[in-house]
Amino acid sequence: MANWNMLTLVGEDRPGIVARVTEALYRAGWNLGEASMMRLGGNFTIMLMVSGEATRSDLEEVVQPVAQSLGLQLHVDSIEGGLHRHMVPNIQVRVSGADRAGIVAKVTGALASTGFNILELESDVAGSAQQPVYIMCIQGYAETTVEALEEAVGSIGEEGVQVSVSPIETLIG
Amino acid sequence: MALLEILTVPDPRLKDASVAVERFDQELRSFIADLEETRQAGPGAVGIAAPQVGRFQRIAIVDVSKTRKPVANHGHLVLVNPEITHWDGFELGREGCLSVPHYTGNVIRAERIRLRAQDAQGEVREFEMEGFEARAVQHEVDHLDGLLFIDRVVSRRTDLFQRKVYQKGGGGKG
Ligand SMILES: [Zn+2]
């Protein structure tokens, strides 16, 4: 049974990073699992599940030279877990409005108190530098009702901040 | 009545296009009953298409009348030789498939459609549909054309407004 590792790379973005890294992994006999790459603040970031028969330090030896030549910081953890462990989100929460300190902590705290499990979170700042507009989109799984979640986030009541809760109906067919 | 075996990826037969039904007989209706039983056995499936069980004829079942939050619907529908005649609007929504275990993804579909189909007796019926029901029909008609939702998956960050044309055949490079 192959071991899974979580490989994280962060650094200045430029074209061709994913190609260089995955080419090195492929040549050394490593397999890829789930991955998520994003540009955050102009930085390249990727988290990549990698499996193989060799050890974690072997993996580091394969990737480190590539990372160094691209000016990326590398981090590797051996992890428990594997593929096919997805949870399907059934609730979407959108937050938007004035960029208020602590709003993420308040919203996610209110959701957590209902047992809500965050599966995906994206946030960004739109608008202008003078008038920033904070936007956050959360997808997650809740056992409880939309109404109960609305009540939980409704008490936040920050001026100029809207929080909306809606169900996600995943179509299976 | 019998539970039918569902083809799953990477079975190449899921890419085959299905042919029109010509005979509306007892055999057809008995197959439709089996297909319905198979749909109901699939956890939470609101639709199923004949090619998913290895019968390459243009037959599908859609029923979105039992969603957690009620949506506009026409009840339980047996769709034989369905044809979407009109598409309107775009909507991003999450889909999964009995033929693609362990994966869900976001797909752009038309928001409203017009549909012409025959029922199990061969009677022609026409529908105007929207939202979740329209999505389910588009998913099933894709199966009849040998297309899977994974051929149409887009990133969550996809900007709907950049896409001007709903493309038959996947891709959606608007
Ligand atoms: Zn399907």
Side-chain angles (χ1 to χ4, degrees):
Chain A
M1 182 63 199
N3 308 308
W4 283 103
N5 294 277
M6 189 67 79
L7 190 153
T8 309
L9 285 162
V10 178
E12 195 188 327
D13 194 18
R14 67 171 90 169
I17 297 176
V18 177
R20 292 268 311 269
V21 171
T22 52
E23 168 77 12
L25 290 168
Y26 165 69
R27 286 190 180 282
W30 293 89
N31 296 307
L32 306 185
E34 294 165 26
S36 174
M37 187 232 120
M38 283 226 245
R39 234 178 101 93
L40 297 174
N43 289 278
F44 171 89
T45 72
I46 194 167
M47 298 191 80
L48 193 56
M49 282 173 68
V50 180
S51 81
E53 303 298 333
T55 64
R56 199 192 71 171
S57 56
D58 293 331
L59 177 59
E60 277 175 343
E61 262 172 54
V62 169
V63 185
Q64 191 55 262
V66 183
Q68 224 147 34
S69 74
L70 292 165
L72 301 171
Q73 294 189 50
L74 169 71
H75 188 84
V76 182
D77 293 298
S78 47
I79 54 166
E80 293 294 317
L83 302 174
H84 312 309
R85 302 195 183 181
H86 299 287
M87 286 177 79
V88 178
N90 62 358
I91 295 286
Q92 175 150 296
V93 180
R94 289 194 192 86
V95 180
S96 67
D99 197 1
R100 294 255 183 279
I103 189 68
V104 178
K106 279 184 189 161
V107 173
T108 54
L111 292 172
S113 71
T114 69
F116 183 87
N117 189 357
I118 294 178
L119 301 172
E120 292 173 354
L121 182 152
E122 280 181 357
S123 76
D124 209 332
V125 182
S128 61
Q130 290 74 35
Q131 273 194 307
V133 177
Y134 183 77
I135 300 166
M136 177 164 67
C137 183
I138 295 173
Q139 297 200 335
Y141 184 80
E143 299 273 1
T144 182
T145 62
V146 170
E147 290 72 24
L149 291 164
E150 274 173 343
E151 204 180 299
V153 297
S155 61
I156 292 166
E158 283 274 337
E159 206 186 311
V161 177
Q162 286 91 44
V163 184
S164 76
V165 180
S166 53
I168 301 173
E169 197 77 57
T170 298
L171 185 145
I172 309 292
Chain B
M1 298 273 279
L3 268 187
L4 306 170
E5 197 192 326
I6 292 176
L7 307 184
T8 55
V9 283
D11 194 312
R13 289 173 292 173
L14 288 166
K15 300 277 184 187
D16 291 346
S18 293
V19 299
V21 172
E22 280 162 13
R23 285 170 52 162
F24 293 81
D25 53 10
Q26 193 47 48
E27 194 279 330
L28 176 71
R29 286 183 281 276
S30 130
F31 166 73
I32 289 169
D34 290 346
L35 190 63
E36 172 62 8
E37 193 184 345
T38 307
R39 178 185 75 87
Q40 288 189 13
V46 296
I48 192 167
Q52 288 181 279
V53 297
R55 176 158 165 156
F56 298 92
Q57 281 189 304
R58 304 186 76 83
I59 306 162
I61 298 172
V62 166
D63 184 353
V64 301
S65 65
K66 293 176 186 69
T67 52
R68 210 164 48 122
K69 188 185 170 210
V71 296
N73 71 85
H74 292 82
H76 181 269
L77 295 174
V78 172
L79 304 173
V80 182
N81 302 329
E83 217 179 306
I84 299 173
T85 56
H86 189 257
W87 290 263
D88 188 25
F90 315 100
E91 223 169 26
L92 195 64
R94 196 179 272 261
E95 298 184 19
C97 181
L98 296 172
S99 298
V100 186
H102 303 298
Y103 182 75
T104 61
N106 289 304
V107 181
I108 296 173
R109 301 283 188 189
E111 213 177 336
R112 287 171 296 277
I113 59 168
R114 262 184 248 143
L115 173 72
R116 190 186 309 124
Q118 286 165 282
D119 64 16
Q121 276 70 38
E123 292 297 319
V124 176
R125 297 180 65 189
E126 298 204 38
F127 304 91
E128 293 204 6
M129 295 179 169
E130 60 176 47
F132 199 65
E133 187 177 49
R135 173 173 297 273
V137 166
Q138 292 170 79
H139 180 116
E140 301 314 330
V141 170
D142 266 359
H143 276 301
L144 305 181
D145 292 331
L147 278 171
L148 297 173
F149 83 99
I150 49 178
D151 302 320
R152 293 188 186 272
V153 159
V154 297
S155 155
R156 212 153 21 102
R157 292 191 169 216
T158 302
D159 184 352
L160 281 183
F161 300 101
Q162 288 175 359
R163 292 170 182 261
K164 297 191 183 73
V165 188
Y166 179 85
Q167 287 194 343
K168 206 174 153 97
K173 295 176 191 71

